[in-house]
Amino acid sequence: MKITYIHHSTFCVEVAGKVLVFDYYNGKGLPGCEYHGQLPEYPQDTPVYVFASHSHRDHFGTEVLTWSARYPHIHYIFAREVKRKLGNSMLKRLGVGEQIKDRITYVRPGEKYEMEDLAVETFLSTDSGVAFLVSVSGKTIYHAGDLNWWRWEGETEDFNRHQEEVYKRQIGLLADRSLDVSFVVVDPRQERDKFLGIDYFLQQVDTRYVVPMHLWKQYDLVREYQDSLESEQMRGRILLFDKENQSLTLEGLP
């Protein structure tokens, strides 16, 4: 399995000749944090699966639909809210037309989907849209989207308590699974609470590797978190990507 970090929460995962792209956007449009990562090029006959957990501009870019011109075996798995953002007029402006609709599967939280040789399960986000659990060629990959234990200074206790309850309930659905790679939110804007979500995830979920994401370029947070873990084995499960378009092939995961 090969992982390529594009930027922010955007990753490409190559496994068994297939490419999975999660939460791609072009890296622009967010003041003070611009990225320049690029999608790698693959042979035209590569099966490509493009996931969008929700429609926020740092997780979804409409240009992904134009990739269908290069990759005839492309399929899109979008949270249902993305459908509202697209509409027929957007498809026309992109020049992809009506035919692209047959390649899009819109998903809701708490459901399971089978598509060709992929199995996709969705979870309710604590922010917007869904998180994904994808099983493909014997490997299991989790991408959180914006599912995180969001605790914000200045919010009410009721709000923060609800965030905690929903997060713990959703992560509890993964407790009896064995995952290969998990992409999990670590957001520096939460300040002292930035590690709440990843801490709980590691305590509850059997995952071989965890990739912190949504870092707003503050990659030193990953090193800080690794240093905070008492177990060397636990530290070894945390993977650091600190450069756009950085790739890593995971040992023991062909």
Side-chain angles (χ1 to χ4, degrees):
M1 182 187 294
K2 181 180 180 181
I3 300 173
T4 301
Y5 167 61
I6 308 303
H7 46 232
H8 198 50
S9 297
T10 306
F11 291 84
C12 291
V13 179
E14 299 172 45
V15 55
K18 305 171 187 65
V19 174
L20 283 58
V21 183
F22 292 97
D23 281 14
Y24 178 89
Y25 81 109
N26 64 13
K28 299 176 177 61
L30 296 174
C33 194
E34 185 169 303
Y35 294 94
H36 303 280
Q38 299 289 325
L39 183 78
E41 287 195 5
Y42 300 101
Q44 289 189 336
D45 60 350
T46 302
V48 178
Y49 299 86
V50 183
F51 295 82
S53 64
H54 59 296
S55 62
H56 288 175
R57 59 182 177 175
D58 62 326
H59 289 261
F60 174 70
T62 55
E63 62 266 37
V64 300
L65 294 168
T66 67
W67 298 349
S68 61
R70 175 176 175 82
Y71 300 108
H73 304 295
I74 197 168
H75 196 107
Y76 300 95
I77 302 95
F78 293 164
R80 192 161 183 81
E81 65 170 59
V82 174
K83 187 174 186 178
R84 295 193 296 271
K85 183 171 183 176
L86 289 176
N88 292 330
S89 61
M90 177 64 75
L91 297 179
K92 289 177 182 177
R93 286 200 300 273
L94 291 169
V96 295
E98 293 289 315
Q99 71 276 9
I100 199 70
K101 291 183 177 180
D102 293 336
R103 302 188 188 184
I104 304 174
T105 300
Y106 292 104
V107 300
R108 296 181 174 89
E111 296 188 353
K112 296 180 181 180
Y113 302 83
E114 300 282 342
M115 49 196 70
E116 299 170 354
D117 50 358
L118 264 71
V120 179
E121 188 171 351
T122 57
F123 302 86
L124 176 66
S125 177
T126 44
D127 185 7
S128 184
V130 302
F132 292 108
L133 184 68
V134 184
S135 298
V136 52
S137 301
K139 306 293 181 251
T140 307
I141 301 148
Y142 169 78
H143 190 283
D146 268 353
L147 173 55
N148 184 36
W149 185 342
W150 299 108
R151 181 175 179 84
W152 299 107
E153 293 290 336
E155 288 288 353
T156 66
E157 277 305 308
D158 284 345
F159 173 89
N160 286 327
R161 188 180 306 111
H162 177 72
Q163 289 283 314
E164 176 182 354
E165 290 172 355
V166 174
Y167 183 72
K168 289 183 173 179
R169 189 181 312 125
Q170 295 304 301
I171 298 307
L173 298 174
L174 294 168
D176 61 347
R177 315 292 181 88
S178 182
L179 314 185
D180 291 298
V181 180
S182 300
F183 299 93
V184 178
V185 175
V186 173
D187 194 313
R189 299 174 301 172
Q190 288 185 269
E191 299 179 343
R192 66 180 182 180
D193 294 318
K194 57 186 173 288
F195 297 136
L196 274 179
I198 193 170
D199 263 342
Y200 189 78
F201 190 89
L202 279 172
Q203 292 165 15
Q204 300 296 317
V205 180
D206 175 19
T207 182
R208 186 166 183 180
Y209 294 108
V210 172
V211 180
M213 65 178 186
H214 212 268
L215 295 160
W216 302 103
K217 291 189 174 182
Q218 296 190 34
Y219 303 113
D220 284 345
L221 291 180
V222 182
R223 299 181 182 91
E224 178 185 339
Y225 186 66
Q226 287 173 317
D227 291 343
S228 73
L229 296 171
E230 295 181 2
S231 164
E232 184 176 345
Q233 181 180 9
M234 192 73 79
R235 288 195 295 271
R237 294 166 63 186
I238 309 297
L239 302 181
L240 168 62
F241 290 86
D242 59 0
K243 298 179 183 64
E244 294 167 31
N245 283 108
Q246 178 183 357
S247 294
L248 176 64
T249 300
L250 297 183
E251 183 180 352
L253 294 178

